[in-house]
Amino acid sequence: MANVAETMQRVIAPIAEDLVEVDKAVISDLQSDIPLIKKISGYIVSAGGKRMRPVVLLLIARALGCQNKDPVFLATMIEYVHTASLLHDDVVDESDLRRGKPTASFKWGNASAILVGDFMYSKAFQLMVRTQNLRICEIVAGAVNRVSEGEVIQLLNIHDTTVDEKRYIEVIERKTGVLFEAAARMAAVSAGADKAVEDAMAEYALCLGRAFQIIDDVLDYVGVSGNTGKNLGTDLREGKMTMPLIYALRNCSETDAETIRNAISHSDPDLDAIIGIIKKTNAIESCISAARNEVQNGIRQLDCLPSSAFKNSLIELLSLTVERDS
């Protein structure tokens, strides 16, 4: 597998200047006279990350011929929404690591993390209103609503070994895919694209989001903790039936199936035993195959775009989701 950082530099090269402007805007717009908000906001923003949603938005907008600064403004907005969702997500999941660093909830407590997450959502909404574009408002508001639904559905699925592939996809589309989709739709709107093109870009983004999350869930079992920035087996300890477990449960013996069910039901599972079952049933290979199918479908959605460095980067970004090791 390729290291993300090595390939991402090539992917973002056509929009490097735009991303610099986004980074500046993300930092400068997060102003508050409340010290704790400034401290936590600064911490979470400076923690790094791939800025994947801004990258998707900028690449699509530029690929569609948009040459003004609107995409930079919209990319800043979607990054606030994404960061706010991470703050809330870490509280719900009781995570202590994010991108290799302690989470805000671990450092400052759940209440502080949730409230600063609310602050970042409100900053996104302030930017949204400044667009004075009803379609943009619809896209962002709808995305935030669906992310919230995804969190609730995932909560209902915890410790439930009957979760199947359909229910799993429903969650990852809402939790991961929806913000990629929102980024793509806003990019198309900013470029003045017609509905058919907007829908194609949205489907590309959903394919990207699904592939990204499937591989994320694979890396939770077979990744390197130093690369992924989180502890291995986190999903298992949280009682989540992700795709590797779903595939393993479908193809294992009844004895191994009982081991999986017990692991999902308890907070201190035998990770090595579960990884052994996953490998024995070729669940990892099945997950990678499913992610590659998403990549191929996503590439097909780009047929409506003219040839350009931006389009090439969109294709490479899709491929990177499957080849990455973090």
Side-chain angles (χ1 to χ4, degrees):
M1 286 188 174
N3 185 278
V4 175
E6 296 173 359
T7 310
M8 277 301 289
Q9 291 304 311
R10 187 165 62 249
V11 168
I12 68 175
I15 54 165
E17 292 182 6
D18 284 335
L19 277 177
V20 170
E21 293 301 314
V22 171
D23 284 338
K24 289 179 181 177
V26 165
I27 294 170
S28 65
D29 283 341
L30 276 180
Q31 298 303 317
S32 172
D33 56 4
I34 301 174
L36 184 61
I37 290 179
K38 290 178 66 175
K39 184 181 294 184
I40 297 179
S41 298
Y43 177 81
I44 193 74
V45 167
S46 66
K50 307 172 190 73
R51 299 277 194 263
M52 290 279 283
R53 290 140 198 88
V55 166
V56 168
L57 194 155
L58 293 166
L59 285 173
I60 290 176
R62 300 311 185 202
L64 289 169
C66 183
Q67 298 180 2
N68 59 36
K69 291 292 185 181
D70 289 352
V72 171
F73 184 82
L74 298 175
T76 303
M77 184 200 312
I78 201 68
E79 185 64 9
Y80 284 159
V81 172
H82 172 58
T83 304
S85 72
L86 294 184
L87 282 164
H88 288 179
D89 198 28
D90 286 339
V91 171
V92 173
D93 293 341
E94 300 180 359
S95 302
D96 57 5
L97 277 181
R98 166 78 64 180
R99 298 165 183 161
K101 296 176 64 175
T103 60
S105 52
F106 182 81
K107 282 178 68 70
W108 287 284
N110 289 342
S112 296
I114 289 171
L115 292 172
V116 174
D118 292 344
F119 168 77
M120 297 194 82
Y121 271 131
S122 71
K123 293 299 291 187
F125 292 150
Q126 285 180 326
L127 296 182
M128 179 181 73
V129 171
R130 280 168 55 187
T131 67
Q132 297 187 339
N133 185 315
L134 182 58
R135 180 66 184 128
I136 294 295
C137 293
E138 288 175 342
I139 292 168
V140 176
V144 172
N145 181 262
R146 290 180 64 201
V147 167
S148 301
E149 288 178 336
E151 289 286 0
V152 174
I153 294 171
Q154 180 172 268
L155 188 64
L156 294 173
N157 288 347
I158 292 295
H159 303 304
D160 185 353
T161 57
T162 67
V163 172
D164 57 12
E165 192 171 349
K166 180 180 178 182
R167 287 167 65 187
Y168 167 80
I169 293 295
E170 182 182 22
V171 169
I172 68 172
E173 279 191 350
R174 282 178 162 86
K175 285 199 62 185
T176 305
V178 68
L179 292 186
F180 282 113
E181 179 190 10
R185 289 193 181 279
M186 286 195 289
V189 170
S190 71
D194 62 29
K195 185 63 163 57
V197 171
E198 179 186 325
D199 288 344
M201 296 303 97
E203 183 58 28
Y204 162 87
L206 284 170
C207 290
L208 176 67
R210 288 190 291 259
F212 186 89
Q213 190 59 54
I214 290 169
I215 297 302
D216 227 39
D217 293 339
V218 165
L219 292 174
D220 192 56
Y221 288 101
V222 298
V224 177
S225 187
N227 291 343
T228 61
K230 64 177 184 178
N231 298 319
L232 295 185
T234 297
D235 292 337
L236 182 66
R237 285 186 288 272
E238 292 171 358
K240 294 179 183 176
M241 280 291 291
T242 57
M243 190 172 277
L245 278 187
I246 292 169
Y247 282 166
L249 190 60
R250 183 186 301 169
N251 297 295
C252 69
S253 67
E254 181 53 39
T255 299
D256 287 343
E258 189 61 27
T259 300
I260 291 175
R261 294 187 191 104
N262 287 334
I264 287 295
S265 302
H266 297 84
S267 58
D268 187 26
D270 186 340
L271 179 60
D272 289 338
I274 297 301
I275 290 175
I277 296 170
I278 287 173
K279 290 182 176 179
K280 184 166 57 176
T281 56
N282 295 318
I284 297 302
E285 290 79 4
S286 297
C287 289
I288 292 173
S289 177
R292 284 180 175 152
N293 287 338
E294 295 289 353
V295 167
Q296 291 306 310
N297 185 36
I299 290 173
R300 285 192 292 271
Q301 305 306 316
L302 300 176
D303 287 345
C304 60
L305 297 180
S307 297
S308 68
F310 308 110
K311 180 178 179 179
N312 293 340
S313 285
L314 286 166
I315 293 171
E316 192 163 19
L317 185 60
L318 259 177
S319 300
L320 178 61
T321 60
V322 178
E323 301 303 325
R324 66 196 176 93
D325 60 4
S326 64

